[in-house]
Amino acid sequence: MPPVIGAGIGVLTAVSFVTAADDPGRFVHSSGVSAYFGLTPRRYQAGEVDGDGSVPKCGDALTRTYL
């Protein structure tokens, strides 16, 4: 069984994250990490209409798949 870094995070996910994020210390909040990898849905607001859009396909595709 491969070693586990954290709850649900394996070696491949950790290596992929560190490689794609370059410097993980630059993210002050975890919401910045999810936005960087394109894991948060887009929001749109117009008048009284407030809705969620689709999840963007930005960021590293392999890391997004692992996460």
Side-chain angles (χ1 to χ4, degrees):
M1 176 166 235
V4 177
I5 305 300
I9 303 296
V11 174
L12 285 177
T13 305
V15 169
S16 176
F17 172 77
V18 170
T19 303
D22 191 36
D23 180 21
R26 68 182 170 158
F27 298 109
V28 180
H29 302 286
S30 61
S31 60
V33 176
S34 61
Y36 179 76
F37 287 111
L39 299 174
T40 56
R42 293 184 177 159
R43 307 259 318 151
Y44 62 90
Q45 296 176 332
E48 293 183 11
V49 177
D50 184 17
D52 292 330
S54 62
V55 176
K57 300 289 192 283
C58 62
D60 188 52
L62 184 62
T63 305
R64 207 171 53 244
T65 301
Y66 287 153
L67 292 174

